[in-house]
Amino acid sequence: MNDTKTIRLSTLTLIYKEETREAAEIIKAAFSEKHGIVPEELFGDIRKEENFIQVKIDGEYSPRRYTIDIDSKKSTVIIVGDDFETLYYAVQRFVRDLIEESATVAECSIDSKMLIVSDPCIITYNGKYYLSKFIAAPNGGNAVKGYDILTSDNLYDWSEPVHAFIGEECTDPNFDGFDNYWAPEICEYKGKFYIFATYKSKASNQRGCAVFRSDKPDGKYELITKGHITPPDWSCIDNSLYVDENGDPWMLFVHEWVSMPDKIGSMCACRMTDDLTDLKGEITTLFYANDAPWNPKNNVTDGPFIYRFESGKLAMIWSGCATNGYCLGVAYSENGVLGPWVQDKELIYAKGIRDYRFGRDGGHGAIFKSLDGRLMLSIHGPNQYLQKALHCFELDITGEVLRIK
């Protein structure tokens, strides 16, 4: 079917198993809010071999695995998933894309393999999106071994991962990583591509931050720092590049709570050499986890990323733990990287703070421009190992305040 069809919503039936009830509740809430329809429920153990929801609009249903299919005769929408996380985010996307603004849709497909990725970072280059992620062990735990790059044309359909760096294959004598290959952040700087990333050192037994470089975004990356460039007696994670208005590079990073005397994490920054191979000058602590007005008991600092407004004002998104779980906050500075940084009382993302898109906890954000020029935010959620999925939102910067549209 190539022609666009209009579905007039009048009745909706949900059929789901008990373990998919939470996803069904999202559909019910969205339909009720947008269309004034309270879905009728048919509950039962209909298919023991599958975890699924079937959504019926004005007609009969007939299962179509992993697709959203608008049939002009039956006006049927079916969402089927093999596991809860796949289904949950498929439902969110269905509600957002197909019924949030209108019910006019064309036949489309949905990626059943929702991208499971922790600490996502995305850049655009030559008409494509490039996403960096760490390589997760399929059986859980921290047995990860390097960093991957994926590509996409549309932020929905992603390529198979390309190994950008494998720790076991690195022959650089400065490298002694063996675990916790976390939070690779891809970026472009002076015509080269870099991954700012975390790994755990055999020598210090600490997590620390390093920098890797490649000639192309999905190429092989080589270590360019002499191992960790963060203090060897600190546990440091989540380094990020920021280039200031003078073109000077800075590295942001987390001084992790586990190595702090009071177990309160902090956010740090330091100037870098122009070739990004080392830090330059003194490390400055910018703020602490419990500075967050949304939870004074928070002790976690994760994932710093700076965005500069046209006026020169800076916004730093970062993650911690609110009373409703892992979340994304923001701090502002009118005076460059070294601040002072003022924490916003309102969170950018947290479970339950707005509509159905905020149905789970999530965070560790990065900001990028879409191929059509929109300012976008990427996060992962929920914050559970091997269940973290990629979510992208358009940002609103009205009044030089960051918010999700």
Side-chain angles (χ1 to χ4, degrees):
M1 181 178 67
N2 297 319
D3 296 333
T4 298
K5 302 295 180 183
T6 299
I7 303 302
R8 297 188 180 279
L9 302 176
S10 59
T11 61
L12 175 69
T13 301
L14 303 184
I15 304 172
Y16 57 91
K17 292 173 66 174
E18 179 60 35
E19 54 265 45
T20 62
R21 177 176 291 276
E22 188 173 357
E25 292 297 326
I26 293 175
I27 304 181
K28 290 170 62 179
F31 269 94
S32 299
E33 178 184 347
K34 289 289 182 180
H35 301 285
I37 298 171
V38 179
E40 169 190 354
E41 295 184 30
L42 295 177
F43 171 70
D45 189 12
I46 298 170
R47 284 188 176 182
K48 293 182 179 180
E49 74 276 12
E50 283 188 304
N51 182 359
F52 72 104
I53 284 180
Q54 295 185 11
V55 181
K56 179 177 68 173
I57 300 176
D58 291 350
E60 299 300 322
Y61 65 83
S62 57
R64 283 283 299 275
R65 181 186 295 271
Y66 304 141
T67 63
I68 292 175
D69 187 7
I70 305 303
D71 184 300
S72 59
K73 294 181 180 179
K74 296 182 179 179
S75 300
T76 301
V77 178
I78 303 295
I79 304 175
V80 183
D82 275 341
D83 56 71
F84 178 79
E85 295 303 324
T86 295
L87 181 61
Y88 183 91
Y89 293 109
V91 168
Q92 283 197 327
R93 180 174 161 189
F94 164 69
V95 173
R96 181 191 67 203
D97 291 353
L98 302 190
I99 66 172
E100 184 182 7
E101 299 300 331
S102 70
T104 301
V105 297
E107 182 176 358
C108 60
S109 63
I110 190 164
D111 184 4
S112 64
K113 297 177 182 177
M114 298 302 290
L115 187 62
I116 302 302
V117 54
S118 181
D119 313 336
C121 182
I122 297 171
I123 65 168
T124 56
Y125 179 73
N126 279 353
K128 283 188 177 293
Y129 296 103
Y130 293 83
L131 178 146
S132 52
K133 73 176 190 71
F134 71 74
I135 304 168
N139 295 320
N142 290 325
V144 293
K145 59 181 180 180
Y147 316 116
D148 277 348
I149 302 294
L150 294 82
T151 61
S152 174
D153 297 318
N154 55 19
L155 295 177
Y156 295 139
D157 305 304
W158 291 91
S159 70
E160 290 298 315
V162 172
H163 293 332
F165 178 83
I166 301 297
E168 305 156 353
E169 298 175 357
C170 183
T171 58
D172 189 320
N174 294 305
F175 180 78
D176 68 343
F178 74 100
D179 205 351
N180 299 159
Y181 293 86
W182 291 349
E185 182 174 296
I186 186 173
C187 54
E188 183 181 6
Y189 175 75
K190 293 186 176 181
K192 299 286 186 179
F193 297 90
Y194 295 83
I195 287 177
F196 280 55
T198 300
Y199 65 83
K200 194 170 187 179
S201 161
K202 292 178 183 177
S204 67
N205 202 36
Q206 296 278 14
R207 288 184 283 272
C209 301
V211 181
F212 304 80
R213 183 179 61 205
S214 177
D215 291 330
K216 57 181 185 176
D218 55 350
K220 292 292 185 181
Y221 283 72
E222 62 178 3
L223 180 71
I224 61 167
T225 54
K226 292 182 178 179
H228 289 166
I229 52 175
T230 44
D233 57 341
W234 291 12
S235 180
C236 300
I237 59 174
D238 299 354
N239 51 331
S240 174
L241 174 67
Y242 170 67
V243 181
D244 67 21
E245 64 276 11
N246 299 316
D248 295 327
W250 295 75
M251 190 175 87
L252 310 170
F253 67 95
V254 167
H255 187 179
E256 203 176 8
W257 66 272
V258 295
S259 69
M260 296 286 276
D262 57 1
K263 303 305 179 186
I264 303 295
S266 69
M267 202 67 74
C268 300
C270 189
R271 272 276 282 114
M272 299 193 77
T273 57
D274 288 341
D275 61 3
L276 307 185
T277 59
D278 207 349
L279 299 182
K280 178 182 178 181
E282 296 295 320
I283 294 172
T284 301
T285 298
L286 305 180
F287 57 83
Y288 293 90
N290 57 1
D291 291 338
W294 29 266
N295 186 8
K297 294 182 179 180
N298 174 56
N299 71 331
V300 174
T301 45
D302 274 358
F305 191 99
I306 287 181
Y307 173 78
R308 184 170 67 242
F309 297 102
E310 288 187 4
S311 68
K313 176 182 175 180
L314 302 183
M316 184 196 299
I317 57 174
W318 65 283
S319 289
C321 294
T323 54
N324 48 352
Y326 197 61
C327 62
L328 186 72
V330 60
Y332 297 99
S333 170
E334 303 273 4
N335 194 38
V337 178
L338 298 183
W341 289 90
V342 178
Q343 303 293 332
D344 196 327
K345 293 180 181 179
E346 291 190 39
L347 289 162
I348 293 179
Y349 185 95
K351 180 180 179 179
I353 63 170
R354 283 172 57 185
D355 54 40
Y356 61 88
R357 298 174 299 164
F358 299 76
R360 287 273 175 115
D361 68 341
H364 201 116
I367 296 172
F368 65 100
K369 283 284 187 73
S370 68
L371 293 175
D372 58 4
R374 293 173 295 149
L375 193 66
M376 303 291 290
L377 167 71
S378 62
I379 65 167
H380 73 240
N383 193 45
Q384 298 175 32
Y385 189 69
L386 293 180
Q387 296 184 18
K388 301 174 183 179
L390 171 66
H391 302 277
C392 295
F393 303 93
E394 186 174 356
L395 287 172
D396 183 356
I397 56 172
T398 302
E400 294 194 335
V401 174
L402 283 181
R403 291 290 182 265
I404 291 174
K405 278 193 175 182

